[in-house]
Amino acid sequence: MNKTAFVLHILVLTLLVWTPHYALAQNDFGLDFELAAERKICSGMKLNLAGGVRTQDNSSRIDRYSLGAGISYKIYSNTSKTFSAKAFGDFEYLWVQNLESIEDKFYDEDDKLPPDYKVGDYKGYNQTGRYWNDRQRISGGMSISWEPNKRWSFQLKETFQYSHYNSVSDIDITKVRRKYNDDDEPYWREEHEVDSREAKNRTVLRNKLTTSYDIPNSHFEPYVSFDYGVGLNFSTSKCKVTFGSKYKFSKDKSMTVFYRYCHENDHDNDDVNGHLIGLAMDISW
């Protein structure tokens, strides 16, 4: 088996191990488009600029727009340049759309039960309309890279991520409830009201492991990454598994095509729970 075939086998096996458990539970599909630019400021220090658009709800709605900037600095590199460490800091502004949602309601002990109904029976639902919730994100951390040869690369990245969610007003809420007229005949009554969301702050610790292989005599560099995050001031866990390949047009320009599976066990999650197909362009100048 040659090296290229070996890499492809590793990618397929990793896909089979990590994705089935989550893929059965989540089916949403989105597209992710990214554009990133990098410029060397001085020895070991680089400026990074990035923007992106992401879709959700089977790619029928915009999930977010994003703009960001950051600085990275190489703090260590051994003489053979096979091992290096880098510190980084980023700021990002996100315009994020929350989709329409429906919450089922059931009778409880405080309700006046209609005829032939008991506690726990279905009584209606609340429908929350779509709304935009902007947020600002500050990230900082370190990454460690190991390149044992010209082909293989391994990277471990630890990121502390702080997000501020802006307050939101004028959220449309529709309440539909089962009611009975004077003749005990059932009907559905619809009520409308306006709700709001208070500003909040979220902190997450993210751990990301990436492996890539530069195929000899080729412009392709396939990779696989596993990203796992945990909430520090709220209860959540987030998992991202990504498979893709970079295509290098030149030393300063490249394109990456990738597939990503995302899952987060929090209602106000940052990412589409489900599948993403992405295209990213990287430019150095």
Side-chain angles (χ1 to χ4, degrees), residues 105-125:
K105 295 294 183 178
F106 304 89
Y107 290 110
D108 57 32
E109 292 83 357
D110 297 328
D111 291 319
K112 182 179 178 181
L113 295 175
D116 302 323
Y117 279 83
K118 62 183 183 298
V119 172
D121 285 345
Y122 179 75
K123 69 175 182 180
Y125 60 90

Side-chain angles (χ1 to χ4, degrees), residues 14-263:
T14 308
L15 174 66
L16 293 175
V17 169
W18 285 110
T19 58
H21 172 72
Y22 295 110
L24 292 174
Q26 305 290 339
N27 296 309
D28 196 14
F29 171 77
L31 298 174
D32 192 345
F33 301 99
E34 302 173 6
L35 175 62
E38 181 181 77
R39 183 171 180 82
K40 183 177 180 180
I41 300 176
C42 59
S43 178
M45 180 175 290
K46 293 181 179 180
L47 170 68
N48 307 284
L49 303 173
V53 180
R54 185 183 299 177
T55 65
Q56 60 178 318
D57 194 20
N58 292 318
S59 208
S60 64
R61 298 282 185 184
I62 293 293
D63 174 58
R64 69 179 60 183
Y65 301 102
S66 64
L67 286 174
I71 291 179
S72 63
Y73 181 71
K74 184 180 291 187
I75 57 178
Y76 175 78
S77 179
N78 62 0
T79 54
S80 61
K81 296 184 178 182
T82 59
F83 181 84
S84 62
K86 182 186 297 183
F88 62 88
D90 301 295
F91 173 81
E92 190 175 18
Y93 196 97
L94 303 103
W95 297 262
V96 181
Q97 181 174 206
N98 290 264
L99 293 183
E100 178 181 276
S101 62
I102 294 179
E103 180 184 5
D104 292 328
K105 295 294 183 178
F106 304 89
Y107 290 110
D108 57 32
E109 292 83 357
D110 297 328
D111 291 319
K112 182 179 178 181
L113 295 175
D116 302 323
Y117 279 83
K118 62 183 183 298
V119 172
D121 285 345
Y122 179 75
K123 69 175 182 180
Y125 60 90
N126 288 358
Q127 179 176 316
T128 303
R130 293 186 290 116
Y131 64 93
W132 290 84
N133 188 193
D134 298 355
R135 67 191 68 161
Q136 301 87 48
R137 174 176 295 166
I138 299 174
S139 303
M142 288 187 61
S143 64
I144 298 174
S145 299
W146 178 49
E147 300 178 4
N149 51 52
K150 293 182 178 180
R151 300 303 171 194
W152 285 100
S153 176
F154 303 88
Q155 183 188 76
L156 177 63
K157 186 177 182 180
E158 299 291 324
T159 306
F160 175 84
Q161 183 174 286
Y162 165 84
S163 299
H164 174 76
Y165 293 63
N166 295 352
S167 60
V168 184
S169 58
D170 300 328
I171 301 174
D172 295 325
I173 305 293
T174 301
K175 294 185 176 181
V176 178
R177 295 291 185 272
R178 186 195 309 274
K179 298 295 181 179
Y180 286 79
N181 60 23
D182 295 337
D183 298 323
D184 288 335
E185 296 174 335
Y187 69 96
W188 294 101
R189 187 172 72 185
E190 184 175 296
E191 298 178 350
H192 296 271
E193 63 181 49
V194 176
D195 199 4
S196 62
R197 299 286 186 270
E198 295 182 354
K200 62 183 179 181
N201 301 312
R202 293 284 177 87
T203 55
V204 174
L205 180 64
R206 296 176 58 179
N207 314 272
K208 184 178 181 180
L209 179 63
T210 304
T211 302
S212 63
Y213 180 76
D214 190 353
I215 300 176
N217 302 316
S218 169
H219 295 280
F220 291 97
E221 184 178 341
Y223 73 96
V224 56
S225 70
F226 179 73
D227 189 331
Y228 184 76
V230 292
L232 299 180
N233 68 337
F234 70 114
S235 178
T236 188
S237 62
K238 179 190 297 185
C239 173
K240 299 180 186 179
V241 183
T242 306
F243 303 87
S245 180
K246 177 188 290 186
Y247 182 87
K248 292 168 286 187
F249 297 103
S250 66
K251 182 180 179 180
D252 299 327
K253 297 180 181 65
S254 66
M255 175 182 69
T256 300
V257 178
F258 62 88
Y259 161 81
R260 176 175 297 148
Y261 182 78
C262 307
H263 176 79

